[in-house]
Amino acid sequence: MPRTTVVESPGCPPLRALTTDILGLVKVVEARAKPAGAAKIVETWGAPDASRGIVAASLADRAADPVLAVARKNGVVELLNPLNGNALAAVKTMAPATNDGGAEDDPLVALHLFTRQASDSMLGTFIACTDKGKASMRSITKENAASGLDAGPSTTWDVCSGGNVQFCSVDHGESYAMFGGKGIEVNLWDIASCSKTWSAKSPRANSLGIWTRPWFTAGTFLCKDDHRKIVACTNNHQVRLYDTALQRRPAISVDFRESPIKAVAADPNGHDVYIGTGTGDLASFDMRTGKLLGCYIGKCSGSIRSIVRHPELPLVASCGLDSYLRIWDTNTRQLLSAVFLKQHLTSVVIDSHFSVEEPEEAKYKQLESLVEAEAEVRNEKKKKMSKTIEEDEAEAEVRKEKKKKKSKTVEEEEEQVKVLNDHSDSDGETDFRKEKKKKKSRAIEGDEERDIDGEMSTPKRRKSGERSKCLKKKSKKQHIA
């Protein structure tokens, strides 16, 4: 049993990945939550059979009529519908061997399904390569899909005279194919003419004169628009950059730790690559300078056998012998989600056209609710506008009334002034002044009466005081006697 650890993951954005394993099963893993959710296995296609184990897989990632091709251990290439798992066609790519082992003497090791379609009647075209370097290109039409007969161009050629092929990679324009393996230098082939256009040259011997035998384990084309720059990884933990237009030896060669590199994938930016080792290390390199950008946090427990980069989202998926499908963030190099799939995994592909879409009825309901909400908002705005207009009119009326009251008070004051001027006396004094004079005279008379009363009270007080003094003297004399 592999060593597994429980790692908390924040979840990944909506994603759909298809994995293959050594028992011939295809498992579909999806993450549907927005903006991020846990990835879960939703479907399993096929029955477990070790003799029909899947060694390689390739997806024609088209928006319409996508096709998934899987190469099985018994030498059969099957075309499946990646949406529901239905079998579309099955083709035997090689004749059985002379002994009873069948295809076990020369098993399939590499497969690529072309994305472009030559015609609408064509179901798919693929390139397959065996361990001993027998490459073949087959085309299958929709009419002959049930019988498994070939249609269109069907060619075969030998990639090498000796050694064991371990990988095959096709450029973005699907015009050139790259092969490499144990005892086989990296070589480039023109698919249309099936001719070799370039082959790498072995590095020079070391200071002791020891020459190392080539052993390439993985390779990819670096740029989408330029097939001349290729990246190849070796079993001697080296990452090499070749420029086929300049020289045969590597332009850049970088060592990474001490374990063989088993998988590599290119980034859409055209200069970064992601590599996976036999001990579960995942890292990224900038091949313009050969600089290590960083290692991904959360080491895998087994050998990494497949890496794929999402063409749009900043995600990279990896799988291997620890039976885990892991999804990483390329910006932060953090683990987003990990799914345990029980069997040893051989490859993973990503459906880039997957999106979480709701049914049409729900969409129509949402549209209707949005229209109703907008209508309600408009009605409320109209009501508010009418209320504000009414309030403004009421305020204007109040202001008019206030102005009228002010004008009335001014007119009344002017009339009072006129009346006072008309009722003035012949001496030039108005009745108002006469009343003031009367009030003043009354006040003076009141003051005089108060003064008279004060004067009358003073002699009485004095007499009472004198009496009290006489009484005090008498009491003293009586006391002395």
Side-chain angles (χ1 to χ4, degrees):
M1 291 294 292
R3 177 176 56 86
T4 59
T5 57
V6 178
V7 181
E8 294 183 359
S9 56
C12 59
L15 180 75
R16 188 170 188 265
L18 293 86
T19 63
T20 60
D21 56 38
I22 59 173
L23 295 183
L25 301 177
V26 179
K27 296 181 179 180
V28 182
V29 177
E30 293 182 359
R32 290 182 171 272
K34 289 185 178 182
K40 298 179 181 179
I41 181 171
V42 295
E43 286 184 289
T44 301
W45 302 334
D49 186 359
S51 63
R52 301 181 70 250
I54 299 175
V55 296
S58 179
L59 176 66
D61 192 13
R62 298 187 290 259
D65 297 331
V67 179
L68 173 67
V70 293
R72 298 191 179 273
K73 190 177 179 180
N74 56 5
V76 176
V77 174
E78 290 186 4
L79 302 185
L80 307 174
N81 187 342
L83 302 179
N84 52 24
N86 294 336
L88 303 177
V91 179
K92 187 73 174 179
T93 58
M94 69 193 78
T98 55
N99 55 6
D100 296 333
E104 294 181 358
D105 290 343
D106 194 13
L108 289 172
V109 294
L111 177 69
H112 176 81
L113 181 64
F114 287 86
T115 303
R116 66 173 186 264
Q117 288 179 312
S119 62
D120 295 336
S121 61
M122 195 71 66
L123 182 62
T125 303
F126 63 88
I127 291 179
C129 186
T130 64
D131 179 73
K132 294 182 179 179
K134 296 184 181 298
S136 61
M137 185 171 65
R138 304 289 180 92
S139 297
I140 302 174
T141 60
K142 295 180 180 180
E143 296 178 355
N144 299 329
S147 59
L149 298 176
D150 297 338
S154 177
T155 57
T156 59
W157 70 95
D158 290 331
V159 174
C160 61
S161 57
N164 304 103
V165 176
Q166 292 195 353
F167 76 90
C168 170
S169 180
V170 178
D171 69 325
H172 184 71
E174 297 182 337
S175 300
Y176 296 89
M178 174 176 54
F179 299 90
K182 184 178 181 180
I184 303 172
E185 288 288 350
V186 178
N187 49 76
L188 195 65
W189 291 74
D190 187 350
I191 296 175
S193 60
C194 296
S195 59
K196 184 188 294 187
T197 59
W198 178 87
S199 178
K201 192 174 183 179
S202 300
R204 297 180 177 88
N206 58 12
S207 59
L208 299 176
I210 299 174
W211 176 78
T212 58
R213 188 186 181 191
W215 190 346
F216 291 92
T217 55
T220 183
F221 287 86
L222 186 61
C223 304
K224 291 183 177 180
D225 301 330
D226 189 3
H227 70 277
R228 296 172 296 179
K229 294 181 180 180
I230 59 178
V231 176
C233 303
T234 69
N235 195 65
N236 300 324
H237 51 84
Q238 288 184 344
V239 183
R240 298 178 182 177
L241 172 66
Y242 291 92
D243 191 344
T244 60
L246 298 178
Q247 58 187 6
R248 294 177 61 189
R249 283 197 169 97
I252 295 176
S253 180
V254 183
D255 290 340
F256 180 69
R257 299 189 177 176
E258 296 180 356
S259 56
I261 299 172
K262 296 295 185 180
V264 64
D267 193 272
N269 60 16
H271 52 78
D272 293 345
V273 294
Y274 307 92
I275 61 148
T277 67
T279 56
D281 295 313
L282 183 65
S284 58
F285 283 86
D286 186 352
M287 297 311 298
R288 293 174 297 183
T289 59
K291 181 180 178 181
L292 173 65
L293 298 178
C295 296
Y296 283 72
I297 301 171
K299 182 179 177 180
C300 303
S301 302
S303 175
I304 297 175
R305 294 305 174 92
S306 179
I307 300 174
V308 61
R309 172 67 161 82
H310 198 286
E312 297 176 0
L313 300 176
L315 302 175
V316 62
S318 67
C319 68
L321 300 185
D322 62 350
S323 306
Y324 271 93
L325 170 67
R326 289 180 169 88
I327 300 168
W328 316 78
D329 188 349
T330 58
N331 295 328
T332 61
R333 293 191 287 276
Q334 296 286 336
L335 179 65
L336 298 180
S337 186
V339 185
F340 182 65
L341 300 178
K342 297 182 181 180
Q343 286 82 23
H344 293 175
L345 304 177
T346 56
S347 61
V348 57
V349 293
I350 291 180
D351 183 4
S352 63
H353 298 283
F354 173 75
S355 62
V356 181
E357 295 183 354
E358 297 180 356
E360 294 181 357
E361 295 180 358
K363 287 183 178 180
Y364 288 132
K365 288 181 180 179
Q366 286 185 354
L367 291 172
E368 290 177 358
S369 61
L370 290 172
V371 171
E372 290 176 357
E374 289 178 357
E376 289 178 357
V377 170
R378 290 176 182 174
N379 292 330
E380 289 178 356
K381 287 183 178 180
K382 288 181 180 179
K383 289 179 181 179
K384 289 180 180 179
M385 291 290 290
S386 62
K387 286 181 180 179
T388 53
I389 292 169
E390 291 176 357
E391 290 176 356
D392 293 336
E393 290 177 354
E395 289 180 357
E397 290 178 358
V398 170
R399 290 174 183 174
K400 287 180 181 179
E401 290 179 356
K402 287 182 178 180
K403 288 181 179 180
K404 288 180 180 179
K405 288 180 180 180
K406 287 181 180 180
S407 62
K408 286 181 180 179
T409 54
V410 171
E411 289 176 358
E412 290 176 355
E413 289 178 357
E414 290 178 354
E415 288 177 359
Q416 289 179 1
V417 171
K418 288 181 180 179
V419 170
L420 292 172
N421 292 329
D422 293 335
H423 291 282
S424 61
D425 294 334
S426 59
D427 296 337
E429 292 180 353
T430 61
D431 294 336
F432 183 74
R433 292 178 181 177
K434 287 181 180 180
E435 289 178 357
K436 282 186 177 182
K437 286 181 179 180
K438 286 180 181 179
K439 288 181 180 179
K440 285 182 180 181
S441 61
R442 288 176 184 174
I444 292 167
E445 289 176 356
D447 294 334
E448 289 176 353
E449 289 178 354
R450 289 174 186 172
D451 293 336
I452 293 167
D453 295 334
E455 291 176 354
M456 293 297 290
S457 63
T458 51
K460 289 181 180 179
R461 290 175 182 173
R462 287 177 184 174
K463 287 180 181 179
S464 63
E466 290 176 356
R467 288 177 184 177
S468 62
K469 289 180 181 179
C470 293
L471 291 172
K472 288 180 181 179
K473 288 178 180 179
K474 285 180 183 182
S475 61
K476 287 180 181 181
K477 286 179 181 181
Q478 288 177 0
H479 181 69
I480 291 166

